[in-house]
């Protein structure tokens, strides 16, 4: 199959959400508190580390991309892809339309159904 024809069969979809803004706000709050207690080493370091961690998570949750990589499907949050999963098409046994609950849309976690 030519390279042009192969591109016709690829799939990629990106969804954007606002969660990174909340994480950036929490990071800014932690860093502000860290600055205000900068003369006390332990709390200052703790709040600085938490602020940096929240900023790192914020850069990881700008969008969700689902893409076809030939023999597998990749699901990744980005632009910093700390959280991703690759699913081999050979491992997929069944596909069915499903319904999600309100709690299913709150990020990376195990839901009540698995």
């Amino acid at each position: 199959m030519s390279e042009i024809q192969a591109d016709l069969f690829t799939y990629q979809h990106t969804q954007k959400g606002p969660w990174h803004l909340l994480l950036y706000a929490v990071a800014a709050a932690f860093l502000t508190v860290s600055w205000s207690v900068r003369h006390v080493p332990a709390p200052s370091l703790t709040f600085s580390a938490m602020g940096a961690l929240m900023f790192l998570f914020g850069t990881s949750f700008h969008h969700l991309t689902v893409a076809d990589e030939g023999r597998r499907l990749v699901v990744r949050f980005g632009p910093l892809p700390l959280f991703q999963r690759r699913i081999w098409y050979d491992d997929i046994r069944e596909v069915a339309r499903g319904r999600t609950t309100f709690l299913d849309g709150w990020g990376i976690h195990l839901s009540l159904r698995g």
Side-chain angles (χ1 to χ4, degrees), residues 11-88:
Y11 172 81
Q12 180 172 338
H13 178 73
T14 300
Q15 292 177 253
K16 296 182 176 152
W19 292 111
H20 65 283
L21 299 174
L22 177 65
L23 291 170
Y24 288 152
V26 170
F30 277 131
L31 293 174
T32 301
V33 171
S34 171
W35 178 258
S36 69
V37 296
R38 66 186 177 274
H39 301 296
V40 185
S44 179
L45 286 173
T46 301
F47 283 113
S48 294
M50 292 304 294
L53 188 64
M54 291 298 115
F55 184 79
L56 181 70
F57 285 157
T59 59
S60 298
F61 290 110
H62 278 245
H63 58 265
L64 168 68
T65 301
V66 177
D68 174 28
E69 289 187 338
R71 297 185 55 123
R72 61 187 177 189
L73 188 69
V74 64
V75 179
R76 86 173 59 94
F77 288 88
L80 184 63
L82 291 178
F83 304 101
Q84 61 183 332
R85 172 173 279 178
R86 287 181 169 77
I87 303 163
W88 292 94

Side-chain angles (χ1 to χ4, degrees), residues 86-106:
R86 287 181 169 77
I87 303 163
W88 292 94
Y89 288 127
D90 291 341
D91 293 340
I92 298 174
R93 300 288 178 239
E94 174 181 345
V95 177
R97 182 181 296 203
R99 294 193 60 115
T100 59
T101 65
F102 179 73
L103 292 176
D104 287 337
W106 286 90

